[in-house]
């Protein structure tokens, strides 16, 4: 049976510069990208805050895709704004400015109808807010979280407290190294596993993603795209595809979690083809199925050794 997925995350206005162009005050944020991606798989319950300057009518595109916005609060003040730049290495975002705005006084209030969510994702925001959300939900079957360098530097103790309370974490290779102070990713994954989560997903941008459990590892490549316009949101769209697919299928077996990792890669591969959430709003179930099949062709080989 398909379940909704509850997500808390930033609902932002992003200004992004890439070698191919720029966008100013575009729809962004971890909660926004996650929701747009997961909405292709299941219903989404979004929790976040926007300021009085937010073009809320633009969020209606999410509502029309089955994202319940009852948990998106509108507060007096400026919206969260992120300004970033990518140079020729499209795997690394350079943060030029982070303005927390209304996020600095935000206390998430999970609407009563969201509290029994079976699948919960704590998108990249202040770990104190991620912990706050966990205190308000009743026994989810799977809690995943994400984070980034900004929070690893400024909120390490809270992040370590959060790790003890989640089942799964997604982070990129640089974040894994920064969090664990281990240069080797296998050792970094072991360090994280020893601090709480039973599943650790380490994403390596255009080089794919690893899923680590205590006794096994799975690897999925990234789709070899010829044109990447804007990598912003790839991580959150990966998480949306991964969690959305798990909530849709309600199956946490190893085989299904592997499929979910590939679904994460599929969704990440779409979002980077355009600025902001544009591509996530255009693609169809057929596009997703076709790219899933492409992934299968990409990694299938005959392991018989002559
Ligand atoms: P990613 O999926 O990793 O590319 O995440 C991109 C999104 O993260 C952007 O849309 C930003 O608005 C958002 N973001 C950047 N910095 C932060 C932060 N410190 N807290 C929450 N969200 C952020």
């Amino acid at each position: 049976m398909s379940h909704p997925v509850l997500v808390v995350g930033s609902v932002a206005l992003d200004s992004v510069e890439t070698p191919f162009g720029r966008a100013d005050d575009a729809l962004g944020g971890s909660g926004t990208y996650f929701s747009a991606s997961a909405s292709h798989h299941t219903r989404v319950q979004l929790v976040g805050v926007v300021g009085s300057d937010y073009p809320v009518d633009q969020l209606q595109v999410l509502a029309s895709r089955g994202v319940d916005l009852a948990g998106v609060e509108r507060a007096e003040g400026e919206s969260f704004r992120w300004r970033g730049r990518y140079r020729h290495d499209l795997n690394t975002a350079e943060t030029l400015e982070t303005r927390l705005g209304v996020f600095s006084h935000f206390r998430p209030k999970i609407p009563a109808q969201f509290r029994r969510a079976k699948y919960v994702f704590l998108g990249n925001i202040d770990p104190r807010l991620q912990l706050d959300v966990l205190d308000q939900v009743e026994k989810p079957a799977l809690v995943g979280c994400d984070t980034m360098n900004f929070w690893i530097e400024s909120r390490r103790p809270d992040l370590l407290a959060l790790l003890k309370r989640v089942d799964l974490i997604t982070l990129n290779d640089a974040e894994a190294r920064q969090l664990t102070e281990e240069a080797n990713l296998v050792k970094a994954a072991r360090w994280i596993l020893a601090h709480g989560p039973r599943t650790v997903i380490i994403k390596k941008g255009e080089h794919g993603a690893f899923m680590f459990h205590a006794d096994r590892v799975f690897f999925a490549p990234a789709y070899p795209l010829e044109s990447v316009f804007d990598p912003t949101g790839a991580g959150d769209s990966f998480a949306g595809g991964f969690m959305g697919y798990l909530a849709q299928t309600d199956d946490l077996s190893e085989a299904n979690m592997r499929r979910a990792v590939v679904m994460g890669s599929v969704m990440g591969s779409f979002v980077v083809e355009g600025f902001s959430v544009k591509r996530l709003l255009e693609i169809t179930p057929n596009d997703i199925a076709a790219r899933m099949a492409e992934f299968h062709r990409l990694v299938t080989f005959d392991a018989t050794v002559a």
Side-chain angles (χ1 to χ4, degrees):
M1 193 183 95
S2 149
H3 290 270
V5 60
L6 168 67
V7 61
V8 60
S10 51
V11 182
L13 292 172
D14 287 350
S15 296
V16 181
E17 210 182 301
T18 81
F20 313 105
R22 59 180 299 148
D24 285 304
D25 277 353
L27 226 56
S30 53
T32 310
Y33 279 108
F34 181 100
S35 300
S37 172
S39 70
H40 284 276
H41 308 286
T42 194
R43 288 160 292 135
V44 183
Q45 301 168 332
L46 174 62
V47 173
V49 63
V50 295
S52 34
D53 55 353
Y54 206 85
V56 271
D57 47 315
Q58 287 189 37
L59 292 177
Q60 284 314 310
V61 288
L62 294 180
S64 66
R65 298 201 44 81
V67 179
D68 189 333
L69 302 173
V72 179
E73 203 182 298
R74 189 157 191 187
E76 211 39 62
E78 244 195 278
S79 295
F80 178 95
R81 276 186 169 76
W82 180 74
R83 213 154 58 77
R85 173 166 64 197
Y86 299 83
R87 300 202 195 240
H88 280 284
D89 174 10
L90 291 169
N91 286 315
T92 319
E94 193 189 328
T95 293
L96 300 174
E97 193 181 19
T98 304
R99 272 156 60 189
L100 293 178
V102 288
F103 256 101
S104 47
H105 296 111
F106 178 55
R107 294 299 300 267
K109 282 180 278 315
I110 310 297
Q113 68 274 26
F114 291 2
R115 290 182 180 211
R116 294 172 65 189
K118 196 169 171 190
Y119 292 87
V120 174
F121 193 74
L122 308 169
N124 172 33
I125 43 163
D126 187 333
R128 293 180 184 178
L129 301 184
Q130 293 174 310
L131 282 163
D132 227 341
V133 169
L134 275 190
D135 290 336
Q136 297 177 53
V137 291
E138 297 167 24
K139 284 194 183 297
L142 185 76
V143 178
C145 77
D146 188 14
T147 193
M148 74 181 287
N149 52 4
F150 189 87
W151 305 116
I152 298 172
E153 283 153 26
S154 61
R155 295 269 193 266
R156 192 179 174 82
D158 303 287
L159 198 53
L160 292 180
L162 179 71
L163 284 186
K164 290 201 176 65
R165 297 182 56 190
V166 300
D167 302 298
L168 176 148
I169 183 167
T170 63
L171 70 188
N172 69 33
D173 46 355
E175 292 155 356
R177 291 190 173 105
Q178 188 184 10
L179 174 65
T180 65
E181 293 169 357
E182 288 282 3
N184 177 288
L185 285 186
V186 182
K187 288 189 177 151
R190 286 214 180 291
W191 187 100
I192 301 171
L193 289 168
H195 284 74
R198 61 168 188 274
T199 308
V200 175
I201 296 181
I202 299 183
K203 297 161 292 167
K204 290 168 57 64
E206 64 180 333
H207 305 297
F210 285 100
M211 176 168 65
F212 291 92
H213 288 106
D215 54 352
R216 53 193 190 272
V217 191
F218 174 67
F219 176 73
Y223 187 71
L225 283 172
E226 208 171 313
S227 51
V228 174
F229 273 97
D230 174 13
T232 315
D236 306 310
S237 304
F238 176 99
F242 176 81
M243 289 292 296
Y245 182 75
L246 287 179
Q248 177 193 10
T249 52
D250 196 25
D251 171 0
L252 295 176
S253 65
E254 171 75 13
N256 203 49
M257 286 186 74
R258 289 180 173 213
R259 254 191 308 275
V261 170
V262 180
M263 189 55 87
S265 297
V266 164
M267 301 309 290
S269 76
F270 282 119
V271 76
V272 302
E273 291 177 332
F275 276 101
S276 182
V277 288
K278 178 172 174 283
R279 285 292 288 147
L280 292 178
L281 303 176
E282 290 170 354
I283 54 172
T284 64
N286 278 345
D287 294 326
I288 294 173
R291 192 154 290 178
M292 192 77 179
E294 288 282 340
F295 264 88
H296 189 248
R297 279 193 284 280
L298 186 65
V299 295
T300 305
F301 69 101
D302 180 350
T304 316
V305 180

